[in-house]
Structures are given as C-alpha cells and as structure tokens.
Amino acid sequence: MSLFGIGSRNQRTFRPKKSTPSGSKGAQLRKHIDATLGSGNLREAVKLPPGEDLNEWLAVNTVDFFNQVNLLYGTLTEFCTPENCRTMSAGPKYEYRWADGVQIKKPIEVSAPKYVEYLMDWIESQLDDESIFPQRLGSPFPPNFKDVVKTIFKRLFRVYAHIYHSHFQKIVSLKEEAHLNTCFKHFILFTCEFGLIDKKELAPLQELIETIIY
C-alpha cells in the first residue's frame, strides 16, 4: 500500500478520503458543518444542530475527523518513519501500543507509522461496517455506538499527540502549523462538547488543550 496520494505535498493523503454514507442524513449535516465552520466560530460549529439525531451528528463528524487526521499525517509520512519514530509516543512519558481486540489481542509495540497504519485500517473497518455506521436512512445505530466513537476519537487523539510532540518543528517548517492548530482546536472542542475522551487520555497535550477550551 502506498502511503502517498498523487499530487503535490499538500494534496498527499495517507489513504483515500472517506465520504459520508449515501442515503444518510450526512449530506444535509455536512452542509450545516460547512456553513458553521465558514463562520469561523468553532464552538458553535461543534454543537448538535436543533432537532438533529445525536448519533447521526457523531457519525458524520467521525468521518470528517478521520479524513482530517489522514490528510495531516499524510504530510509527514516521509519524516515519520520506522527509523525516526521507533515507537508510537507522545513525549518521553507516553507510549502507545497497538491492539484491536480481534487480530491483535495483546498490545504490541510498533513504530509510529505502523501504529497509524493499523489505526486507520481499523477505523476504516468500523466506518465500513453497516451494523456500526448504518448507510441507509432510518437504519438504527447499535446500542454501543457512542463507545465505538469514543474509542475512535481516543486513538485519533494519539496521532495528534505524536505529531505535536515529535513533528511540530517539521510542521512549522512546512508552514502548516496554523492549519494543524485549527484542526486540533476543532477536534478538541468537539470531544469536549460530547465527552468523547477521558481527561487522563488528554494528558500529553493538556497545556495546549487548556489554551483552547478556556
């Protein structure tokens, strides 16, 4: 599998972009996201629109944040290598091991790029599973849907934590720090709005998060 999309550096993506399920309310909700993001007020943009279903809102935003992290990480794949990043870490105190509970049941130590590859494959399999992310309008979400979303967000956060701790200087040299900061701010405001990540998991970027939410 090639880690690069075709095109200039800014168009690289770790893998093909996921689109909102057709036939869901996703397209309608995406218009709402685009309109509110366009206003520049991220605190408003993350709020559940009046009268909308919470699970639908979580679903469409999960796809968006997955795509966002994909694109951000895609700009770093030539720098985030098994040689440079032997473990998936966020500074000296935090190291993440991979397990998906199915193919890899016991957490294993892998390089950062391998961890991200495993993670994106796993998220994609969740997004493609119609019993978890229903494609048809009116199909029910599973009772544990929010738990699945929480696990996805917890693991996406780890990619942000790794980027900030290991590759921020490279992001600055690529002049992409404003974009990274805006994406992360949107991500954190959304997770705080819906209680998707436990506070202890946010510890590697706690200082940055406090500047965002207060």
Side-chain angles (χ1 to χ4, degrees), residues 150 154 195-203 206:
K150 285 174 82 166
K154 176 178 78 175
L196 299 176
I197 303 178
D198 293 340
K199 195 173 178 187
K200 68 177 188 297
E201 286 282 341
L202 299 172
Q206 192 55 45

Side-chain angles (χ1 to χ4, degrees), residues 85-105:
C85 301
R86 294 184 178 198
T87 60
M88 180 63 174
S89 61
K93 287 189 193 167
Y94 301 97
E95 187 180 299
Y96 304 114
R97 298 184 174 213
W98 178 257
D100 58 15
V102 182
Q103 276 143 338
I104 300 172
K105 294 189 176 173

Side-chain angles (χ1 to χ4, degrees), residues 16-69:
K17 196 174 175 186
K18 297 293 289 180
S19 56
T20 309
S22 56
S24 75
K25 289 187 75 177
Q28 206 179 318
L29 291 174
R30 175 149 286 108
K31 280 183 188 164
H32 177 87
I33 292 171
D34 291 343
T36 50
L37 282 178
S39 73
N41 187 338
L42 291 174
R43 286 179 196 277
E44 285 303 312
V46 299
K47 289 181 177 169
L48 178 67
E52 294 297 349
D53 178 70
L54 173 60
N55 286 339
E56 288 274 5
W57 185 239
L58 291 175
V60 74
N61 278 279
T62 300
V63 173
D64 275 1
F65 286 118
F66 168 75
N67 285 330
Q68 237 171 50
V69 172

Side-chain angles (χ1 to χ4, degrees), residues 4-202:
F4 292 113
I6 297 165
S8 74
R9 188 191 74 237
N10 292 334
Q11 290 169 318
R12 281 180 188 145
T13 176
F14 189 54
R15 61 192 55 227
K17 196 174 175 186
K18 297 293 289 180
S19 56
T20 309
S22 56
S24 75
K25 289 187 75 177
Q28 206 179 318
L29 291 174
R30 175 149 286 108
K31 280 183 188 164
H32 177 87
I33 292 171
D34 291 343
T36 50
L37 282 178
S39 73
N41 187 338
L42 291 174
R43 286 179 196 277
E44 285 303 312
V46 299
K47 289 181 177 169
L48 178 67
E52 294 297 349
D53 178 70
L54 173 60
N55 286 339
E56 288 274 5
W57 185 239
L58 291 175
V60 74
N61 278 279
T62 300
V63 173
D64 275 1
F65 286 118
F66 168 75
N67 285 330
Q68 237 171 50
V69 172
N70 245 334
L71 286 165
L72 283 167
Y73 186 75
T75 65
L76 293 169
T77 47
E78 63 191 288
F79 315 109
C80 185
T81 64
E83 294 72 39
N84 295 339
C85 301
R86 294 184 178 198
T87 60
M88 180 63 174
S89 61
K93 287 189 193 167
Y94 301 97
E95 187 180 299
Y96 304 114
R97 298 184 174 213
W98 178 257
D100 58 15
V102 182
Q103 276 143 338
I104 300 172
K105 294 189 176 173
K106 193 176 175 188
I108 56 169
E109 185 180 298
V110 291
S111 68
K114 192 68 186 168
Y115 184 100
V116 177
E117 185 184 328
Y118 276 138
L119 172 59
M120 296 306 178
D121 283 346
W122 176 79
I123 295 176
E124 213 158 11
S125 72
Q126 306 301 300
L127 298 179
D128 290 341
D129 185 339
E130 290 199 35
S131 69
I132 302 171
F133 283 81
Q135 303 275 334
R136 292 190 190 86
L137 191 59
S139 297
F141 286 86
N144 68 333
F145 181 68
K146 192 171 181 183
D147 292 333
V148 174
V149 169
K150 285 174 82 166
T151 303
I152 290 172
F153 273 77
K154 176 178 78 175
R155 290 174 172 176
L156 285 176
F157 171 81
R158 294 171 177 179
V159 182
Y160 275 116
H162 178 71
I163 290 172
Y164 273 107
H165 278 279
S166 299
H167 301 294
F168 190 67
Q169 288 313 312
K170 184 51 69 178
I171 290 278
V172 170
S173 73
L174 296 173
K175 297 186 168 47
E176 290 178 3
E177 72 271 24
H179 178 61
L180 170 66
N181 290 338
T182 302
C183 290
F184 183 63
K185 181 176 183 178
H186 185 200
F187 178 86
I188 284 301
L189 289 172
F190 191 84
T191 61
C192 290
E193 178 76 11
F194 299 103
L196 299 176
I197 303 178
D198 293 340
K199 195 173 178 187
K200 68 177 188 297
E201 286 282 341
L202 299 172

